[in-house]
Amino acid sequence: DTSGDRYNGKCDKDGCDFAPFRLGNSTFFGPGSSFILDTTKPMTVVTQFITSDGTDSGELVEIRRKYVQGGKVIENPAAVSGGSGHVSISEDFCSAAKKDFGDVDAFSQQGGLKAMGDALEKGMVLVMSLWDDHAAHMLWLDSDYPTDQPSTKPGVARGTCATTSGDPDEVEKDHGDSSVAYCNLRVGDLDSTYDASRAPSCSAGQMSVVV
């Protein structure tokens, strides 16, 4: 990044993200009963890939996210800022959010959802991990980032963590025994991989992932 070559390669390093906090909803995801999704309790995360013709071979045009917790299916909230009104990842949402936040739209430049769908068609490996960040201390995920911009600027506030947090030396020294568990991974037709009436068999602090 410091060389100025971030957007000169073939990899879309930014992607197109739908993060409720960054999009203006600070009460959707967090620890405790005051949040719609309580991160202290097990949840099922559902990701759906929608094609133009509803078939497995159609062009990818939308990515939806929903959650299951406490016997309820919880839909993704609508964006408040940055692609306001959208509830899922689409070409229109990505372009609007990039414009509203003043971000480089490398996602569209690299082919957008169609290019992603073409890549998925060739086959990918799902990787889930617990990691730290030596470049930006994960501030892009749940703090104010970039740190040289005011938190009031659209797209900068991404979570409640302090901008001094996430130092990898500190994380590895003080929290080297941290862990996460993913369970009940499933793949299937839309809305066939989860059951709101059945609680996840994961323990607290674990996440059930289905697509």
Side-chain angles (χ1 to χ4, degrees):
D1 291 352
T2 55
S3 68
D5 291 325
R6 180 176 180 84
Y7 300 106
N8 291 339
K10 294 184 178 181
C11 177
D12 175 18
K13 298 178 179 66
D14 294 348
C16 175
D17 60 294
F18 198 112
F21 195 105
R22 191 182 187 210
L23 296 172
N25 188 329
S26 61
T27 61
F28 181 71
F29 186 92
S33 59
S34 62
F35 293 91
I36 296 174
L37 265 179
D38 183 354
T39 57
T40 67
K41 297 179 178 180
M43 70 180 73
T44 297
V45 181
V46 183
T47 304
Q48 299 180 328
F49 298 88
I50 313 301
T51 61
S52 56
D53 58 4
T55 69
D56 291 344
S57 58
E59 180 179 321
L60 180 64
V61 295
E62 183 184 6
I63 302 175
R64 297 176 187 166
R65 171 64 54 78
K66 59 181 66 179
Y67 307 83
V68 182
Q69 187 176 69
K72 298 185 297 183
V73 176
I74 302 171
E75 301 291 341
N76 212 39
V80 178
S81 62
S84 178
H86 290 276
V87 296
S88 62
I89 291 178
S90 64
E91 296 290 355
D92 287 345
F93 162 73
C94 293
S95 296
K98 297 289 186 182
K99 181 179 179 181
D100 291 348
F101 292 157
D103 293 341
V104 175
D105 193 359
F107 183 74
S108 295
Q109 295 169 8
Q110 297 287 3
L113 286 174
K114 182 182 185 307
M116 183 178 179
D118 292 343
L120 286 168
E121 183 67 25
K122 297 175 182 178
M124 290 187 176
V125 176
L126 175 64
V127 178
M128 295 179 289
S129 63
L130 182 66
W131 55 288
D132 56 15
D133 175 6
H134 285 255
H137 296 189
M138 303 295 283
L139 301 181
W140 51 268
L141 181 64
D142 49 19
S143 184
D144 294 338
Y145 191 81
T147 56
D148 61 352
Q149 299 293 317
S151 61
T152 53
K153 180 181 177 181
V156 172
R158 303 156 186 250
T160 59
C161 292
T163 55
T164 55
S165 65
D167 185 312
D169 292 333
E170 177 183 319
V171 170
E172 293 166 16
K173 176 178 179 293
D174 298 338
H175 307 285
D177 59 348
S178 296
S179 64
V180 63
Y182 303 100
C183 64
N184 299 334
L185 273 72
R186 301 175 184 175
V187 177
D189 293 334
L190 297 180
D191 296 317
S192 70
T193 55
Y194 62 93
D195 182 354
S197 65
R198 186 174 59 191
S201 58
C202 304
S203 301
Q206 296 183 333
M207 182 180 295
S208 175
V209 181
V210 299
V211 294

